[in-house]
Amino acid sequence: MAKQEEVILREWDFGNNVDVTLSDLKNVLTDIVEATEMNLKVVQTNVQNMPVVAIIKNPSYMPVYHFFNGNSIIVAIVGKGEQVRAEDLEKLYNKAVCAWHSFQYAKNRGKSMAMRFGANGIAAGVSAGLTAATTMALKGGFKLAAKGVRALLRDQASWEREMEFYQDALGVGDFAIGAADTRGIIGKIKAQAEQDNPIAQYVLGMSYAEGRGVEINQEIALQWFEKAAANGELRSQSIIADEYLFSNNDYDSEYKEIAVQYLTNLADSGQTWAAATLLDIFSMGTVEGIAIDYDKTAEIAQKYAYQGHDYSAMVLAQLYDQSLTIDTNAIAKYKDDEKAASLYKSIVDAQQPSEYAEDAAFRLASMYMHGRGVEENLEIAMYYFECAAELGNINAIEILAEHYTLGDYAGIDNIKARKYVEELIRLNDEELLPMAYYCKYILADRAEEYRESMSAAQKYLTLPNADEEKKQEVAIYLTEQQEKISRMTDKERRAYLKEPPNRTWIKYLLIGVGILIVLAILIGIISIANDKEDEYLDCDGENVMNSIDEDVIYNPELYEGCESDFVFPESDQRYIDEYEVEYLTRTETQMAINEIYARHGRIFIDEPYASHFRACEWYTPYYSSEEFTDAWFNTYEQANIKLLANHRSKVEKDSSESTGSNNSVIITSEEEAIQYVMERENLFEDDTGDFENVHFVCEGYDGYEYHIWCYSDMGDHVTTLGRWTVTEDGEMQEIY
């Protein structure tokens, strides 16, 4: 084949934002061919192991291919901004003409030579001509040129017919993507449309809607779509139904009835969205001018529910169990709990996941719990509540937390209870928090984790919508615990509350060190303040500024020679380039941001930043976060903070998708925190050393730290094996 750049006839570009598939292309080309009644066919096949759409006339002509890459034989069409290419037929046929003349010359020369030597002149001429043509084709790689020679050998009419085919095929391709109407295709389509050809009417409507071969005119487009829809063209019926029901134009009831009929036709053809639209119209009144009609709703839902349409099944089930509307009198005649339960079960148990499975599972669980439409079965009810909870149903989570914590003895499950209680607390729903903290207090007391149980109990008393009777119970519990603890020795109290051993001498030592550090900082601040005060005096000692309303901590001279303390020593004097931050971890990026703040005296609390800057001689902690203002940053600093913050967000996003990217540990969920502890401590669930039935749970998340608990559940008692806090950055500390 010739080099690609030598065989470009057209450059068809769909644009960067258009996603064209082979199926789309085939449908468009088929519509145009059908609308123009061209004697062409559009097929989808494979060529050289590549999926293609081809325009063909008959097997004797080389097809016009439409590829999704640049390796086409004649025409290639692709989406997403890649160019659509065609072989230069004119050049190829010019080559064919040259081959024809070469053939004629060789034939005549061969004929004369044959006569001279007494051989068959025609046979020799043909042999020589084909040899010349084949040599030309091989050298140039133009297979089509050789084919053109064979066409010429037949007759001129064959040549012209084949050329006409290629021109028609290319014209269809041009028109399909909105290029120039080189073959007068719009005229052919109009002629067919006026003869009531529905495909032609649809294509003509699209032409006016999108500006293919004509100027855009939505009014004319709508007229042709209306004619096509009336003739049964389903795509046009979809367009007209949308126009009559949901556009800003005002249509009377007659038009809306037509639209409803079109939607019914579409639903009958397998368009599930059309069935859903009809159900919404008649069950919720989504279209002005069409009243809610539960009989019509039931008719539509019954028609499609048993054809695998989940939404129809859900609406019908709600109709049967009287939950479709608060006006149960309007649907009383449809009440049938058994049918409702059967439909809910079919949605939940379907092999293909359904967006209605969460609601269906919760409703089915409630029916099993109360024996409505099915035989009462608490175990099955809990199973379906768990299905709903896994899909995010908060009411199911509350029921499970309460059941596994406060149910009868056979139903209590401490592990599941903790799971759902912590999830309930994480969701932070005001209405459900009282139940969550009440269950947490019960669970902790049951596990002899009295410090935790008292904390949960105190939290419960602060909640405004907590149950008054339970409040009294919790208050009595707290009082009894406090009285019990008050009678204990210090050692007994620490053992009872599972507090770490008393290290009083360490405490006083730390207090002493802390006092010394504070004194040193104060002395440093006073010294620097005196130095800074001198900076604002002239040579005679007179103050040259009456007041200082700007940042007085920032002084570039203070950190000259301390470049090793910085990620970017000159971030206040130049713009940082993107390539410089490309490989920074999250912590390094945050350090680079914080050092800009540190130059201006911002106080840090979080580690490792607080320790790092306290060790820097140039750093003066002066302003709290409330006192600090971004107005002190210069242009360089503002731009660099923005660049670094954007990179930090990217690192966090990448790390959440692939833990450990950018060489940093980022923990983004309770599951990741638990797994992190298990790997660091070399512990495993179910069996760890001398303990069995080992479990890990996340007891909470306070916006920075995850609190992990490891315990062994021996049935009659629970043994704590360890507690840890894990920060989002992967710092882990055991709690004693």
Side-chain angles (χ1 to χ4, degrees):
M1 187 185 298
K3 292 182 180 179
Q4 189 176 11
E5 58 267 25
E6 296 177 0
V7 295
I8 297 175
L9 180 62
R10 288 163 173 77
E11 292 186 1
W12 292 338
D13 188 353
F14 282 148
N16 294 326
N17 298 320
V18 178
D19 190 2
V20 179
T21 66
L22 279 177
S23 180
D24 295 334
L25 178 60
K26 181 183 177 183
N27 292 337
V28 172
L29 293 174
T30 302
D31 282 342
I32 296 172
V33 168
E34 195 172 330
T36 55
E37 290 198 340
M38 286 184 176
N39 187 22
L40 303 174
K41 296 180 181 179
V42 182
V43 296
Q44 190 167 344
T45 182
N46 284 281
V47 174
Q48 298 175 353
N49 296 321
M50 298 174 59
V52 302
V53 170
I55 301 177
I56 64 173
K57 189 175 182 70
N58 59 56
S60 66
Y61 293 162
M62 183 177 289
V64 179
Y65 289 113
H66 301 270
F67 278 58
F68 270 71
N69 61 37
N71 299 323
S72 61
I73 298 174
I74 297 184
V75 179
I77 294 183
V78 297
K80 290 286 185 186
E82 297 180 50
Q83 289 184 332
V84 180
R85 300 184 181 278
E87 277 203 38
D88 190 342
L89 293 177
E90 294 172 1
K91 288 184 179 181
L92 291 178
Y93 276 93
N94 286 337
K95 288 285 186 180
V97 171
C98 292
W100 169 251
H101 290 303
S102 298
F103 170 76
Q104 292 283 20
Y105 171 76
K107 184 181 71 170
N108 291 334
R109 185 170 180 273
K111 184 177 181 181
S112 63
M113 290 176 65
M115 289 179 178
R116 183 181 305 171
F117 294 104
N120 187 315
I122 295 178
V126 170
S127 176
L130 288 177
T131 300
T134 303
T135 302
M136 181 280 298
L138 290 174
K139 287 182 179 179
F142 292 105
K143 297 179 182 179
L144 187 58
K147 179 176 172 56
V149 173
R150 291 197 296 275
L152 287 173
L153 285 173
R154 293 196 297 273
D155 53 57
Q156 186 68 23
S158 296
W159 169 289
E160 291 175 353
R161 283 197 303 272
E162 186 163 346
M163 192 64 184
E164 184 71 14
F165 155 66
Y166 284 116
Q167 293 298 330
D168 281 346
L170 289 170
V172 169
D174 285 337
F175 189 77
I177 56 94
D181 185 9
T182 56
R183 303 291 290 171
I185 289 176
I186 194 69
K188 297 177 183 179
I189 295 173
K190 278 186 177 179
Q192 294 299 318
E194 289 168 353
Q195 295 178 26
D196 262 0
N197 180 333
I199 297 295
Q201 290 168 338
Y202 166 74
V203 174
L204 194 55
M206 293 301 297
S207 297
Y208 278 104
E210 299 179 355
R212 291 181 186 169
V214 292
E215 291 186 6
I216 291 178
N217 189 315
Q218 300 299 339
E219 184 177 349
I220 296 177
L222 186 62
Q223 292 172 5
W224 285 112
F225 285 137
E226 287 176 323
K227 292 179 180 180
N231 285 325
E233 209 286 315
L234 290 176
R235 291 169 295 182
S236 299
Q237 290 186 350
S238 173
I239 293 170
I240 294 303
D242 182 70
E243 170 68 21
Y244 288 172
L245 295 175
F246 303 110
S247 72
N248 294 326
N249 299 319
D250 188 18
Y251 292 96
D252 60 27
S253 59
E254 180 182 354
Y255 287 93
K256 291 176 180 177
E257 288 175 5
I258 293 172
V260 168
Q261 183 56 55
Y262 286 163
L263 286 175
T264 303
N265 296 342
L266 290 160
D268 289 343
S269 72
Q271 301 290 324
T272 56
W273 65 266
T277 304
L278 286 169
L279 288 170
D280 287 345
I281 290 171
F282 291 109
S283 68
M284 295 187 287
T286 55
V287 174
E288 186 177 352
I290 300 181
I292 291 176
D293 187 334
Y294 292 114
D295 290 337
K296 192 70 176 175
T297 299
E299 177 188 338
I300 296 167
Q302 289 168 342
K303 184 176 182 180
Y304 302 112
Y306 298 102
Q307 298 179 17
H309 187 214
D310 287 349
Y311 186 60
S312 295
M314 190 67 189
V315 170
L316 186 58
Q318 290 175 294
L319 200 63
Y320 287 148
D321 80 350
Q322 307 295 281
S323 61
L324 185 64
T325 173
I326 58 174
D327 183 10
T328 54
N329 291 329
I331 57 175
K333 62 181 178 180
Y334 295 107
K335 182 175 176 58
D336 191 324
D337 290 337
E338 289 186 10
K339 288 184 178 179
S342 176
L343 284 167
Y344 287 140
K345 192 173 188 303
S346 70
I347 294 172
V348 178
D349 295 345
Q351 292 184 349
Q352 296 296 326
S354 169
E355 61 181 299
Y356 311 106
E358 175 195 331
D359 194 19
F362 182 81
R363 293 175 185 276
L364 182 59
S366 300
M367 298 182 86
Y368 272 107
M369 176 174 274
H370 301 105
R372 186 165 58 85
V374 291
E375 186 177 348
E376 183 178 339
N377 189 313
L378 190 59
E379 184 178 352
I380 296 178
M382 290 304 113
Y383 167 77
Y384 283 112
F385 276 132
E386 288 185 12
C387 291
E390 291 300 318
L391 294 170
N393 190 292
I394 190 171
N395 294 311
I397 295 172
E398 182 204 19
I399 290 172
L400 291 166
E402 183 176 2
H403 171 75
Y404 288 130
T405 304
L406 307 174
D408 58 31
Y409 181 77
I412 289 177
D413 187 322
N414 293 326
I415 297 172
K416 288 185 176 181
R418 278 190 175 272
K419 172 185 174 182
Y420 292 115
V421 165
E422 293 301 334
E423 179 65 13
L424 209 56
I425 291 173
R426 187 187 67 81
L427 292 171
N428 198 34
D429 184 284
E430 289 186 3
E431 295 297 321
L432 304 182
L433 274 180
M435 177 56 67
Y437 277 103
Y438 181 79
C439 289
K440 185 169 184 176
Y441 130 71
I442 294 291
L443 287 169
D445 181 67
R446 188 180 295 161
E448 299 181 354
E449 299 286 345
Y450 299 116
R451 184 168 56 175
E452 182 181 324
S453 67
M454 292 171 67
S455 174
Q458 289 170 339
K459 177 67 176 179
Y460 182 82
L461 293 177
T462 66
L463 297 174
N465 53 342
D467 181 77
E468 290 299 326
E469 186 175 339
K470 285 187 172 65
K471 272 188 175 182
Q472 294 179 11
E473 170 198 332
V474 169
I476 293 171
Y477 171 81
L478 282 172
T479 301
E480 291 175 348
Q481 287 289 352
Q482 289 165 356
E483 290 178 353
K484 184 176 182 180
I485 292 171
S486 67
R487 295 191 294 269
M488 295 178 181
T489 65
D490 187 52
K491 184 177 180 180
E492 290 172 337
R493 179 183 59 79
R494 289 197 303 274
Y496 185 73
L497 297 178
K498 297 183 180 179
E499 293 180 344
N502 188 6
R503 296 288 188 269
T504 306
W505 65 273
I506 295 178
K507 179 174 71 174
Y508 288 120
L509 176 61
L510 291 175
I511 292 173
V513 171
I515 292 172
L516 290 175
I517 291 173
V518 171
L519 289 174
I521 291 173
L522 290 174
I523 292 171
I525 291 173
I526 294 170
S527 175
I528 292 172
N530 290 335
D531 291 342
K532 288 188 172 294
E533 183 178 353
D534 293 339
E535 290 173 17
Y536 295 97
L537 300 178
D538 63 13
C539 58
D540 295 324
E542 296 295 329
N543 197 313
V544 297
M545 298 181 65
N546 294 325
S547 63
I548 303 173
D549 294 328
E550 61 189 42
D551 173 26
V552 297
I553 293 299
Y554 177 76
N555 180 4
E557 294 179 1
L558 289 176
Y559 51 83
E560 286 181 358
C562 300
E563 286 78 9
S564 61
D565 292 343
F566 296 88
V567 180
F568 295 104
E570 299 176 345
S571 57
D572 61 326
Q573 302 172 40
R574 68 175 181 88
Y575 295 113
I576 300 172
D577 289 322
E578 289 187 2
Y579 74 87
E580 294 179 273
V581 305
E582 184 178 357
Y583 298 104
L584 293 182
T585 65
R586 181 186 183 279
T587 301
E588 290 169 341
T589 305
Q590 189 62 53
M591 187 69 77
I593 293 173
N594 288 353
E595 67 192 16
I596 297 175
Y597 284 80
R599 288 192 181 100
H600 296 269
R602 167 69 184 273
I603 296 173
F604 298 94
I605 298 174
D606 295 336
E607 296 294 346
Y609 315 108
S611 298
H612 170 77
F613 291 115
R614 280 200 301 268
C616 297
E617 294 181 359
W618 52 267
Y619 173 63
T620 302
Y622 197 87
Y623 300 107
S624 66
S625 59
E626 293 78 16
E627 297 169 329
F628 196 86
T629 172
D630 293 352
W632 294 332
F633 296 139
N634 61 33
T635 304
Y636 295 116
E637 292 169 318
Q638 291 174 1
N640 291 336
I641 288 174
K642 183 177 181 181
L643 173 68
L644 290 163
N646 289 338
H647 177 68
R648 179 184 60 195
S649 299
K650 180 179 181 298
V651 170
E652 291 172 347
K653 179 181 178 182
D654 292 344
S655 298
S656 67
E657 296 173 351
S658 177
T659 303
S661 64
N662 293 295
N663 298 321
S664 64
V665 175
I666 301 297
I667 297 174
T668 60
S669 68
E670 295 177 357
E671 292 75 12
E672 289 182 8
I674 291 173
Q675 187 63 33
Y676 186 70
V677 170
M678 291 172 64
E679 292 174 356
R680 290 283 297 272
E681 296 294 321
N682 196 28
L683 297 174
F684 307 92
E685 290 206 49
D686 298 329
D687 188 1
T688 297
D690 297 330
F691 297 94
E692 297 179 353
N693 299 320
V694 176
H695 305 281
F696 288 81
V697 296
C698 184
E699 297 183 304
Y701 173 66
D702 58 11
Y704 180 68
E705 292 180 339
Y706 295 91
H707 304 279
I708 310 301
W709 179 39
C710 175
Y711 61 93
S712 172
D713 187 356
M714 304 306 293
D716 57 343
H717 69 280
V718 173
T719 301
T720 296
L721 303 182
R723 290 179 185 272
W724 300 266
T725 60
V726 181
T727 68
E728 293 175 332
D729 287 337
E731 294 185 9
M732 192 173 89
Q733 182 176 1
E734 187 169 5
I735 303 173
Y736 296 98

